[in-house]
Amino acid sequence: MPYPSPPRSLSGPRRRTLLASVAGAALLVGCSSGSEDSDGGSSGSPSLAERARARAARDSAGLVERYDAVLATHPALAVLAGPLRAETVRHVEAFGGGTSGPSGASSTTSEAPKDASGSPSPSSSPPAAVPANEQDALADLAAAERALADRRAKALLDLPGELARLLASVAAAGAAHAYLLTEGAK
């Protein structure tokens, strides 16, 4: 009677282990690659990190303005959108943006903000008209939160460690805001 062959055991790591290791290494390198030179340059112009931080503050301030417009048009949404607006104000402050007045809008929004390339940033345009329907207003806020979270997720790859972590955290919060607003619109 022949003996059955032993089960074939793979030598070396499995494919999933390799993929997880590569993804983890890429994440670690992406988050810490700029820690040695967070300046981006010392030619007297603002560094990449400073420009990214200023843009993030302006973008969050623009989002606060959208929340303000929606809450002014639909005060009944304050229960859902009010805490999310307050969190967005904290995002402005985390990126170094100041507050002025009761609305909490950033002091940098008084001038037309420009991104690193010198063109106006998307948040510099005036907030779109608020829909008359509460569900549509929430859907618009959710779309704005989602778009900003996506832009931030893409931008964090080029930033130094600590700022990349902050931007990733705020992008995740924005994605959560979009989810809550979408669920609130149902």
Side-chain angles (χ1 to χ4, degrees):
M1 179 168 216
Y3 289 107
S5 60
R8 188 171 179 206
S9 64
L10 299 174
S11 60
R14 295 185 184 264
R15 187 178 351 181
R16 278 189 216 151
T17 306
L18 284 174
L19 289 175
S21 299
V22 168
L27 186 63
L28 288 175
V29 169
C31 287
S32 63
S33 65
S35 62
E36 295 86 22
D37 181 24
S38 63
D39 253 12
S42 58
S43 62
S45 66
S47 71
L48 173 66
E50 291 169 350
R51 289 189 311 261
R53 186 178 291 275
R55 178 177 177 141
R58 284 191 306 266
D59 288 346
S60 291
L63 202 51
V64 169
E65 290 173 3
R66 288 185 84 131
Y67 273 103
D68 288 344
V70 168
L71 290 173
T73 305
H74 303 289
L77 295 177
V79 172
L80 174 64
L84 302 177
R85 180 204 175 275
E87 186 70 23
T88 306
V89 168
R90 286 192 287 278
H91 296 164
V92 173
E93 294 166 356
F95 289 118
T99 57
S100 63
S103 69
S106 170
S107 60
T108 60
T109 58
S110 60
E111 61 188 55
K114 300 188 187 260
D115 65 10
S117 66
S119 61
S121 68
S123 68
S124 66
S125 60
V130 177
N133 182 346
E134 288 181 358
Q135 289 181 336
D136 292 340
L138 287 176
D140 282 356
L141 271 177
E145 284 274 15
R146 193 173 301 108
L148 184 55
D150 290 346
R151 273 197 331 264
R152 286 177 169 165
K154 290 176 187 171
L156 67 89
L157 297 174
D158 299 327
L159 298 176
E162 193 60 36
L163 182 56
R165 285 185 281 278
L166 175 61
L167 199 63
S169 175
V170 173
H177 289 183
Y179 173 78
L180 293 172
L181 290 166
T182 300
E183 288 298 308
K186 289 183 179 178

